[in-house]
Amino acid sequence: MDIKYIPTICPYCGVGCGMNLVVKDKKVVGVEPWKRHPVNEGKLCPKGNFCYEIIHREDRLTTPLIKENGEFREATWDEAYDLIASKLSEYDPNEIGFFCCARSPNENIYVNQKFARIAVGTHNIDHCARLCHGPTVAGLAASFGSGAMTNSYDSFEEADLIFSIGSNSLEAHPLVGRRLMRAKMKGAYFIVADPRYTPTAKQADQYVPFKTGTDVALMNAMMNVIISEGLEDKEFIEKRTKNYEKLKKVVSKYTPEMAEEITQVPADVIRDIARKYAKADKAAIVYSLGITEHSHGVDNVIQTANLAMLTGNIGRLGTGVNPLRGQNNVQGTCDMGALPTDYPGYQKVADQEVMEDITCTWGCSDLGCTPGLKIPEMIDAAAKGDLKVLYITGEDPVISDPDTNLVEKALNNLDFFVVQDIFMTDTAEFADVVLPAACWAEQEGTFTNGERRVQLIRKAVDAPGEAKYDWEIFCDLAKRMGADPEMFTYESAQDIFEEIRSVTPQYAGMNRERLERPEGLHWPCPSEDHPGTPMMHVEKFSHPDGLGIFMPLEEQGPMETPDEEYPLILTTTRILFHYHAAMTRRSATLEREVPTGYVEINTEDAAELGITNKEKVKVRSRRGEIEIEARVTDDILKGIVNIPMHFRECSANVLTNAAAIDPKSGMPEYKACAVAISKMEGSN
């Protein structure tokens, strides 16, 4: 019996767990632990354990498809390439946009953004970080000079205290959740602040329920207590930061009593958690989408940085500000420059000198210094008729983007629409051309996880039918469009990675030999003799002067607030057994666990509305309405309801608000929109 074990990385969340794909007769038949892998030590969550179930499904895309008279027909690659190349050449580059895939290897992403900028001539390129951790990139870059996680996962186990806010790690990032539980077993005090009494909150030493969207006020009040009681780290503030006096002035008015009125957290509880955080020798902050997916998401992120700098909890084991990333390669996709404002390595599009350096390296003509459109801006422009062509790789905005009705209007309004994916997604149904791509198990390359660890993925099996690598498709198209072949000629993913190293300073010291090690390498890794950087900001921050910047902020609150017609606040979440729907809902095991969605509603709210557990109800917002089963529970605050985002038949994003946008990052406000819930007509 010929069985092979192919070491690779999980294709789901940003934790970056190692696994072995079990290959028999040229098929992946299972997953086995990679016991020596430093991230997960042989443990996997349900999604990782059953990821192999999607690889050989019969509904994989295997040939190009072209829509004619409203129906798809099979086409040759030449037909598809000719049609796409002619359409991309027909329009002004400013009328064309690209969504990149944050589940794809770095090499694919790099070539995708290079194709958009050179072959098409547009900076209208973005990806799903805009809709999850865009505020992290912007907020931590503003405070620290680098928009990424400061510490590694194993650092959590050195903490004396962990403050988790807006993060349900045990469901959304289970193997990080395991680290947090191990830290707790070793004596770390675990505080969880969240509007929901989540599985993670139930493991906390102290659970702090607070009103969604009031994060700034909560953390301002914590800083008020720390400063007023003399608990700040004066030496760290003096030597390593600037702008402290301005912060001190603003937070002085945010007394715990004032914050209690805003957040619903008792003043004494605010004082208690502030003292505990400040007095801990090593305190770590963990957060995720619960604080980023707001119209003030950047402010929320900056507050975590303010809190950490105020207490000197940066640059040491067991400390730091630690965002948990959503998709398996969302960190890498940011690193690769799939952003309308940034080239690879966060080099700014608007910087003339940077542009000249990039054009010199690539050997191309002037790329321009005007940043492109962000994802919400592209959707809005398409709906208005200003964006004519959209090319989406591996993203499913019909499921994942806010205000589904607006998204569908935008897609229907396009002159030409291309989707490149492994399945016929809900979004692909709208396309004019659908191209079959290889999945992660069918190619070589690298993923970069949430702790900045660059890791190899390895090919286990061949892609089905005529499916191709994303990078191969973009290179073929570039040549059809008349781009210099030398700019788009690669023999392998390794060839592409060598170019990535030359363009991306953080990756310069990485080579294949070094990445073969199970631990990979953490960026920044500027030279081949550099060990990589698991912990950032040890002696100085990444700003030119080496100082961290305090940024005082005022409480803003959600853009859309409850009223008489829409009296409840909706928040959205991920759950343990599902991810974005195109993949996990095609896993028979995971789909059996949770086959459809539900709305969590507080017991008192349900009683007032006459709603019973498991009753089907109608949920309405100003954007649309859905029918969904009610889950009556005390595990959510009164006045707040929650819907998982994975389910097309009762999609939370029919309700969410695309118009409420964080002006600093372009993040839509997923975590707070006004809704009403009512009994279905004819129900008792």
Side-chain angles (χ1 to χ4, degrees):
M1 186 181 297
D2 183 22
I3 295 180
K4 296 180 181 178
Y5 295 85
I6 308 298
T8 193
I9 305 301
C10 181
Y12 287 115
C13 80
V15 175
C17 295
M19 60 172 63
N20 287 290
L21 295 179
V22 183
V23 180
K24 178 184 176 185
D25 298 329
K26 299 182 179 180
K27 300 285 186 182
V28 179
V29 297
V31 168
E32 285 293 322
W34 184 350
K35 293 182 179 178
R36 290 182 57 245
H37 196 272
V39 170
N40 55 308
E41 302 170 317
K43 310 297 182 184
L44 291 169
C45 78
K47 290 189 285 289
N49 270 312
F50 298 103
C51 66
Y52 72 95
E53 292 185 343
I54 70 166
I55 296 171
H56 303 295
R57 279 185 58 102
E58 292 183 0
D59 60 345
R60 280 287 301 274
L61 294 170
T62 59
T63 187
L65 301 172
I66 294 176
K67 186 177 284 181
E68 291 181 351
N69 301 317
E71 300 291 333
F72 285 111
R73 67 165 178 85
E74 292 189 357
T76 66
W77 275 104
D78 281 340
E79 281 183 284
Y81 282 154
D82 285 344
L83 177 58
I84 295 168
S86 67
K87 290 292 186 181
L88 292 177
S89 300
E90 182 180 328
Y91 290 87
D92 184 285
N94 293 323
E95 297 176 323
I96 302 171
F98 290 83
F99 292 7
C100 281
C101 177
R103 288 171 284 165
S104 195
N106 287 318
E107 293 73 11
N108 289 342
I109 306 304
Y110 177 82
V111 177
N112 189 346
Q113 61 84 34
K114 185 179 179 184
F115 171 80
R117 287 176 161 128
I118 294 177
V120 177
T122 184
H123 290 301
N124 293 340
I125 183 162
D126 207 355
H127 72 287
C128 70
R130 185 68 51 205
L131 310 175
C132 58
H133 276 285
T136 289
V137 176
L140 294 187
S143 297
F144 298 156
S146 173
M149 187 171 175
T150 63
N151 290 48
S152 58
Y153 300 140
D154 56 9
S155 173
F156 295 142
E157 296 183 43
E158 304 298 322
D160 298 312
L161 180 143
I162 295 169
F163 177 50
S164 172
I165 180 167
S167 179
N168 180 16
S169 308
L170 287 174
E171 286 201 275
H173 305 91
L175 272 299
V176 168
R178 177 174 178 262
R179 292 273 188 188
L180 300 179
M181 294 305 97
R182 289 204 333 203
K184 183 184 172 188
M185 289 174 63
K186 291 179 178 180
Y189 191 80
F190 189 35
I191 300 171
V192 174
D194 200 294
R196 299 170 59 235
Y197 192 39
T198 64
T200 306
K202 290 173 184 177
Q203 298 300 317
D205 294 299
Q206 188 169 1
Y207 168 53
V208 183
F210 73 104
K211 184 179 178 182
T212 186
T214 63
D215 313 75
V216 168
L218 176 62
M219 286 184 273
N220 267 348
M222 291 176 67
M223 289 187 280
N224 173 290
V225 173
I226 291 166
I227 294 170
S228 64
E229 298 188 5
L231 301 175
E232 72 275 21
D233 188 330
K234 296 177 180 63
E235 182 179 359
F236 186 93
I237 292 166
E238 181 181 350
K239 291 183 177 179
R240 297 202 50 191
T241 70
K242 59 186 178 183
N243 217 29
Y244 170 64
E245 290 301 323
K246 290 182 180 178
L247 176 86
K248 184 177 179 180
K249 181 178 179 181
V250 169
V251 304
S252 66
K253 64 186 175 187
Y254 283 86
T255 64
E257 286 73 20
M258 174 188 175
E260 179 176 352
E261 295 296 316
I262 300 169
T263 65
Q264 299 179 6
V265 180
D268 286 347
V269 172
I270 295 174
R271 287 191 176 89
D272 181 47
I273 62 173
R275 290 164 180 159
K276 285 173 177 170
Y277 177 80
K279 290 179 179 179
D281 180 48
K282 295 175 290 183
I285 295 174
V286 177
Y287 74 80
S288 193
L289 306 190
I291 72 167
T292 62
E293 290 186 335
H294 289 272
S295 58
H296 50 273
V298 172
D299 289 358
N300 293 344
V301 170
I302 288 172
Q303 285 290 73
T304 66
N306 286 337
L307 194 54
M309 289 189 291
L310 183 66
T311 53
N313 278 300
I314 289 287
R316 296 180 289 128
L317 282 173
T319 70
V321 176
N322 303 285
L324 304 181
R325 306 305 294 261
Q327 296 202 17
N328 56 301
N329 199 38
V330 72
Q331 180 67 61
T333 309
C334 292
D335 300 345
M336 293 302 103
L339 297 165
T341 54
D342 293 47
Y343 292 111
Y346 306 96
Q347 300 172 90
K348 298 304 175 185
V349 164
D351 188 317
Q352 179 73 27
E353 187 175 334
V354 166
M355 188 270 286
E356 291 172 358
D357 287 345
I358 294 289
T359 56
C360 182
T361 301
W362 283 345
C364 61
S365 57
D366 191 327
L367 294 167
C369 292
T370 302
L373 299 176
K374 304 175 181 72
I375 282 179
E377 293 168 337
M378 284 191 259
I379 292 293
D380 191 51
K384 293 175 179 176
D386 296 329
L387 192 83
K388 308 290 188 182
V389 178
L390 189 58
Y391 195 132
I392 293 181
T393 305
E395 293 292 326
D396 195 3
V398 169
I399 291 291
S400 60
D401 287 25
D403 193 349
T404 302
N405 291 327
L406 175 65
V407 172
E408 293 184 0
K409 176 184 176 183
L411 300 184
N412 280 321
N413 205 35
L414 292 165
D415 288 357
F416 188 66
F417 181 30
V418 182
V419 169
Q420 191 166 301
D421 215 313
I422 63 175
F423 294 113
M424 179 61 74
T425 63
D426 291 283
T427 298
E429 295 282 359
F430 289 80
D432 297 294
V433 179
V434 177
L435 301 179
C439 82
W440 100 105
E442 297 155 355
Q443 57 190 308
E444 299 284 319
T446 53
F447 289 158
T448 307
N449 76 350
E451 57 177 351
R452 300 168 284 102
R453 188 191 298 261
V454 181
Q455 305 184 90
L456 291 177
I457 64 166
R458 297 170 177 87
K459 181 177 177 179
V461 291
D462 290 331
E466 299 176 31
K468 295 186 177 187
Y469 307 135
D470 290 341
W471 66 261
E472 187 179 11
I473 295 169
F474 289 118
C475 287
D476 289 345
L477 278 171
K479 293 166 189 174
R480 296 256 173 163
M481 294 178 65
D484 184 345
E486 290 190 10
M487 296 184 200
F488 291 94
T489 298
Y490 306 101
E491 296 297 323
S492 65
Q494 182 57 36
D495 282 354
I496 301 168
F497 191 81
E498 287 303 309
E499 184 173 313
I500 290 170
R501 293 176 60 196
S502 72
V503 177
T504 312
Q506 296 90 333
Y507 286 59
M510 301 181 188
N511 58 37
R512 177 74 187 215
E513 181 181 0
R514 300 187 76 194
L515 291 175
E516 285 285 358
R517 303 177 303 185
E519 62 269 24
L521 283 165
H522 297 262
W523 69 254
C525 181
S527 62
E528 290 190 8
D529 60 356
H530 192 283
T533 313
M535 183 165 57
M536 296 186 75
H537 316 308
V538 175
E539 295 179 353
K540 61 181 181 178
F541 290 98
S542 299
H543 289 299
D545 62 4
L547 298 178
I549 304 173
F550 282 112
M551 296 187 179
L553 297 163
E554 300 283 0
E555 170 66 19
Q556 308 264 350
M559 285 191 180
E560 188 174 75
T561 55
D563 57 21
E564 190 172 334
E565 185 177 3
Y566 299 100
L568 302 168
I569 300 175
L570 168 69
T571 187
T572 65
T573 51
R574 288 176 176 158
I575 59 176
L576 177 62
F577 295 101
H578 280 295
Y579 192 67
H580 292 244
M583 293 171 68
T584 53
R585 295 201 75 185
R586 285 178 167 85
S587 165
T589 303
L590 299 175
E591 182 72 354
R592 277 197 303 271
E593 291 290 340
V594 184
T596 193
Y598 51 86
V599 56
E600 292 179 320
I601 180 170
N602 177 270
T603 304
E604 291 182 43
D605 289 326
E608 290 173 7
L609 295 166
I611 291 169
T612 58
N613 193 42
K614 296 190 175 181
E615 176 183 355
K616 184 159 274 193
V617 296
K618 182 177 289 186
V619 186
R620 296 180 294 112
S621 77
R622 292 177 174 86
R623 273 70 55 191
E625 62 181 45
I626 60 172
E627 296 177 2
I628 191 169
E629 183 181 283
R631 183 173 290 185
V632 179
T633 177
D634 289 326
D635 289 350
I636 193 166
L637 285 177
K638 189 177 189 308
I640 299 175
V641 298
N642 174 67
I643 299 176
M645 55 76 64
H646 316 281
F647 304 97
R648 177 73 166 113
E649 66 275 16
C650 49
S651 175
N653 283 322
V654 168
L655 308 169
T656 49
N657 189 359
I661 296 287
D662 180 358
K664 298 175 183 177
S665 68
M667 166 63 72
E669 191 150 56
Y670 288 97
K671 298 305 186 201
C673 76
V675 298
I677 296 183
S678 59
K679 294 174 71 68
M680 297 287 292
E681 194 172 317
S683 64
N684 294 326

